Amino acid sequence: MAGLFNALNAARTSLEVNQKSIEIVGNNISNVNTEGYSRQSSELSPYPAVNFGDFFIGQGVKIDNVRRDHDVFLQAQLEDKYVDYGYANGQTRSLQELERVFNITDDNIATDVDKFFDAWQELSASPSDLVLRDAVIQRGELLATSFNNTANDLNTIIENINDTIISKVEDLNAKLTEVADLNDRIYNIEIRGQMANSARDSRDVLVKQLAESLGATTYLDGNGMVNVQLPGGLPLVQGNMPMRLQTVTSGSNVALQLVAGNTVRDLSTTTLGGEMAGRFYMRDQFIPAIKDDLDQLAWQISSTVNTQHQLGAGLNAAPALAAGNFFLDVTVVGPPVYLDAARNMRVEITDPEDVAAGLSPTGLPPAGPAEPGDNRNALIISNLGEQITIGGIDNFNSFYGKMTSRIGIESNQNNLQLAGTQDAVDQLENLRDGFVGVSLEEEMVSLIQYQRGFESSAKFLTTVDEMMNTLIDIKR
């Protein structure tokens, strides 16, 4: 009779184990499309056998653990690639906006420069024509407006980057807090000998998102908690304690800071990674370099035209006065002397008769009224666009062309880097899914296996029950 009871207990444990295994398989199937979910499986072991005479009899089966498939090496590779992808992605939008501002169509600053000097060339054919003189002023105003608008567009792109940084901070702080909470939950569950599989999956997803956004790196401590830190080593999460990010606005500048207790540290491209580092690079390095070149170009055109214009004479110039500036003098107390020249550029002359198309009778200021038909200064100014060089290398249009080319090259490199890192991430994600993800085919095989095991256990239980009834009937 004791043997039948042992067999009955073995059948019971088999039923329970197969039923629980079917539940685990069902959970895998239901989470086949859940982001970051890792396949779970039951780890079985026999109950200790009981000595029965000269041999041992088994006492059934039990589930020791619900194992979560996980590959530490793949997870680390994914985090690294998400950092690279985030860095490229953080630059993409700003580069697209720059390509729109510095377009290569017929409507750009280079075209306006050509049309401005062409207007001087046309004026040289009829220097007394007030309509042509007014056209020179209008072309100058259009050129100045192009510089003004481009400078304002660059400031708008920087403002958009600042707005994006501010809008991301709250979400990043929520993720840091969630990682710390998951660390605490995992520790409290696993210290009792259980496995916090779902919490670990959720934590891995958050860690990848932080790697993409901030370039965060991680390491495990002895309690199974993930410590998160910035590439420079500054802590973001330590155990169950999250740090906090904040933004500080000073004028048009937005600074990102890390608050750890009573310590506040400014963050920059040297301490950040991922999307934030990409945005900071565009805001603090690439766009200011483009703006610096734009200001230098505006200043060179303004100062060069002004210098030559002052040597000329208009139609109604007083004998004791030299011709004035054509453009506003945008020179500032440097360095650099051309700071904000593009934003401040504008035409000073309003009266067409003040356009100095001719030279003074002596050729030197102060200039008297230009003689009728004198076009010498208009001819000189019309050739400045090709004769004057910036840095002794580029004329005005080739200098602008290099600016546009630099943006185009940077954008192409960004597209290549973004596509390459996206492919790398996709390949690693597919590799991860192959190792630790849910395969419906494998789950169906396991489901059939555990179903057959459950049916066999039920049949075994029925057989033992019948044997016990027969034994009881015999004893009666």
Side-chain angles (χ1 to χ4, degrees):
M1 194 71 175
L4 289 178
F5 278 115
N6 288 337
L8 189 65
N9 183 66
R12 176 187 63 80
T13 59
S14 180
L15 274 174
E16 291 175 350
V17 165
N18 282 291
Q19 179 183 355
K20 187 56 66 177
S21 296
I22 289 174
E23 292 175 7
I24 294 171
V25 171
N27 185 57
N28 288 338
I29 294 173
S30 64
N31 283 282
V32 65
N33 294 315
T34 301
E35 180 186 4
Y37 181 81
S38 302
R39 181 177 181 269
Q40 298 180 16
S41 58
S42 54
E43 292 184 346
L44 311 181
S45 66
Y47 278 105
V50 175
N51 189 352
F52 186 79
D54 295 331
F55 50 88
F56 288 87
I57 298 178
Q59 300 296 301
V61 66
K62 61 181 178 178
I63 296 179
D64 277 341
N65 185 29
V66 179
R67 187 184 71 251
R68 165 182 172 258
D69 291 345
H70 184 64
D71 192 308
V72 176
F73 179 68
L74 272 177
Q75 178 69 17
Q77 281 190 308
L78 274 169
E79 290 176 20
D80 288 341
K81 288 303 177 184
Y82 269 108
V83 173
D84 296 337
Y85 173 77
Y87 182 77
N89 193 41
Q91 302 176 37
T92 300
R93 180 177 176 183
S94 298
L95 286 170
Q96 290 173 346
E97 292 179 340
L98 284 173
E99 283 191 302
R100 175 186 57 79
V101 173
F102 291 87
N103 59 74
I104 56 175
T105 63
D106 292 337
D107 184 19
N108 56 32
I109 288 178
T111 304
D112 291 331
V113 170
D114 285 337
K115 290 180 178 179
F116 172 69
F117 288 112
D118 287 345
W120 281 99
Q121 182 69 42
E122 292 174 5
L123 177 61
S124 67
S126 181
S128 299
D129 191 327
L130 292 180
V131 174
L132 293 179
R133 288 171 167 270
D134 189 59
V136 169
I137 295 175
Q138 291 179 8
R139 281 299 172 187
E141 290 174 343
L142 289 173
L143 178 60
T145 300
S146 292
F147 275 104
N148 300 158
N149 291 341
T150 303
N152 290 333
D153 286 339
L154 290 179
N155 290 334
T156 299
I157 295 173
I158 291 176
E159 290 172 2
N160 290 339
I161 295 175
N162 286 335
D163 291 341
T164 303
I165 292 171
I166 293 172
S167 66
K168 291 287 185 181
V169 166
E170 185 176 350
D171 179 60
L172 290 172
N173 282 332
K175 289 176 180 176
L176 294 177
T177 301
E178 192 171 353
V179 170
D181 291 342
L182 287 169
N183 275 341
D184 192 58
R185 187 188 311 170
I186 291 168
Y187 173 75
N188 288 324
I189 290 175
E190 295 186 352
I191 199 174
R192 297 194 296 264
Q194 299 172 316
M195 292 300 297
N197 294 328
S198 296
R200 282 179 173 267
D201 284 342
S202 299
R203 188 176 65 180
D204 285 348
V205 171
L206 288 170
V207 164
K208 287 190 293 187
Q209 292 173 353
L210 290 172
E212 180 181 349
S213 299
L214 295 169
T217 59
T218 60
Y219 65 92
L220 277 171
D221 64 15
N223 295 321
M225 295 186 179
V226 162
N227 291 322
V228 186
Q229 61 185 22
L230 291 171
L234 295 175
L236 292 172
V237 178
Q238 287 185 318
N240 59 1
M241 294 185 300
M243 309 304 143
R244 184 170 59 86
L245 297 169
Q246 67 179 19
T247 55
V248 177
T249 303
S250 176
S252 60
N253 183 55
V254 174
L256 183 63
Q257 297 178 331
L258 177 66
V259 181
N262 296 324
T263 304
V264 179
R265 291 185 174 90
D266 290 331
L267 302 179
S268 63
T269 50
T270 58
T271 52
L272 289 167
E275 285 185 3
M276 280 295 181
R279 293 191 182 99
F280 271 69
Y281 166 72
M282 294 301 299
R283 190 195 72 175
D284 298 339
Q285 297 181 41
F286 189 79
I287 295 177
I290 295 295
K291 185 177 182 297
D292 185 81
D293 286 347
L294 184 70
D295 286 336
Q296 187 176 357
L297 178 60
W299 179 80
Q300 287 281 7
I301 293 175
S302 298
S303 59
T304 300
V305 171
N306 285 345
T307 299
Q308 186 60 44
H309 193 267
Q310 291 170 2
L311 299 177
L315 294 178
N316 59 357
L321 297 177
N325 288 330
F326 184 86
F327 290 108
L328 173 70
D329 184 5
V330 291
T331 304
V332 297
V333 178
V337 295
Y338 49 79
L339 182 66
D340 288 332
R343 184 169 62 88
N344 296 324
M345 187 178 182
R346 71 170 184 264
V347 175
E348 283 276 77
I349 292 179
T350 57
D351 188 348
E353 293 188 358
D354 291 336
V355 175
L359 290 175
S360 65
T362 62
L364 296 171
E371 297 179 359
D374 187 355
N375 67 349
R376 290 175 295 168
N377 206 36
L379 280 173
I380 294 173
I381 293 177
S382 69
N383 292 320
L384 292 178
E386 297 297 330
Q387 294 176 349
I388 301 300
T389 60
I390 300 177
I393 300 174
D394 302 303
N395 61 30
F396 298 146
N397 278 352
S398 62
F399 187 80
Y400 178 80
K402 282 188 176 181
M403 293 170 56
T404 305
S405 176
R406 191 190 319 164
I407 293 170
I409 292 172
E410 188 79 12
S411 181
N412 287 336
Q413 290 178 341
N414 175 259
N415 290 334
L416 290 174
Q417 184 182 7
L418 189 65
T421 53
Q422 179 68 70
D423 288 342
V425 167
D426 290 342
Q427 290 175 10
L428 286 172
E429 287 286 5
N430 292 335
L431 191 60
R432 176 199 174 277
D433 290 341
F435 277 106
V436 305
V438 176
S439 168
L440 292 178
E441 291 79 7
E442 292 181 7
E443 298 307 317
M444 288 303 296
V445 171
S446 298
L447 187 62
I448 293 172
Q449 175 187 345
Y450 292 127
Q451 181 184 3
R452 293 291 182 264
F454 185 87
E455 292 172 352
S456 299
S457 300
K459 182 65 175 176
F460 178 45
L461 186 62
T462 301
T463 301
V464 173
D465 181 56
E466 291 175 354
M467 291 173 65
M468 291 183 68
N469 289 334
T470 300
L471 186 60
I472 290 172
D473 290 341
I474 291 173
K475 288 186 177 183
R476 287 178 181 174

